[in-house]
Amino acid sequence: MDDAAWARHANPWSVVSRMTALPLMTLAIWSRVWLGWVAVLPIALVLLWIWWNPRAFGRPASTDTWASRGTFGERVFLNRAQVPIPRHHLGWAKGLAWISGIGAFPWIYGLWILDPGFILGGLTLMIGGKLWFVDRMVWLYQDMQDRHPEYALWLR
């Protein structure tokens, strides 16, 4: 993403509304029970929402928010090949990505057999892991903005 896309992506409304993607996808997939093959339409709408979401919001008036800092931390994390990050941040990020990824198994299984318990368990791991990951990215950004002058410029 370019700087303008990252600025839109750091909008708190974008961050918060992205958290609707998995619950909406759950409902869209479950709708096959009522809609049959027509359920492809709500699934396509959710996929369109996932694609459009980072583009839907403008640059935020302020980036001094938890959500914006989390997005900045993700940007720092993705840039770690050029600007190394502390090892403890890397370990946490990988571990939380695993937690979120593992949550996909019960979620998919629950959707396959239409079991709300498996679905909710999977959603809890995926969304909870992602939110914890974002929180760790806030911490990463706060650590790195003092070490790398370019990163400090993102906060306004």
Side-chain angles (χ1 to χ4, degrees):
M1 285 192 277
D2 62 10
D3 287 340
W6 274 108
R8 288 190 312 274
H9 197 53
N11 188 316
W13 285 106
S14 177
V15 174
V16 171
S17 63
R18 271 196 306 275
M19 293 299 144
T20 65
L22 282 170
L24 288 173
M25 185 58 78
T26 300
L27 290 173
I29 294 170
W30 190 288
S31 75
R32 76 183 193 276
V33 172
W34 312 294
L35 303 176
W37 281 102
V38 178
V40 169
L41 293 175
I43 292 169
L45 285 173
V46 173
L47 291 173
L48 180 63
W49 169 242
I50 292 168
W51 173 82
W52 185 63
N53 178 277
R55 296 158 179 84
F57 302 94
R59 182 183 199 110
S62 171
T63 56
D64 192 17
T65 65
W66 177 86
S68 294
R69 289 174 189 254
T71 303
F72 295 157
E74 286 181 301
R75 191 173 179 185
V76 169
F77 182 75
L78 291 172
N79 193 42
R80 69 188 180 279
Q82 286 73 38
V83 179
I85 63 172
R87 289 189 61 188
H88 65 278
H89 287 298
L90 182 61
W92 273 98
K94 287 181 177 181
L96 292 168
W98 271 100
I99 289 171
S100 291
I102 288 169
F105 293 105
W107 180 69
I108 292 167
Y109 180 70
L111 284 169
W112 182 264
I113 66 169
L114 301 174
D115 184 296
F118 277 102
I119 293 169
L120 289 175
L123 284 172
T124 299
L125 288 172
M126 289 189 296
I127 295 171
K130 179 60 176 179
L131 286 171
W132 194 356
F133 174 84
V134 172
D135 193 59
R136 292 296 302 202
M137 293 298 101
V138 171
W139 186 358
L140 171 62
Y141 176 69
Q142 289 172 328
D143 284 355
M144 294 298 290
Q145 73 179 354
D146 296 333
R147 298 179 189 181
H148 198 276
E150 178 187 337
Y151 295 159
L153 297 175
W154 297 342
L155 191 63
R156 52 179 183 81

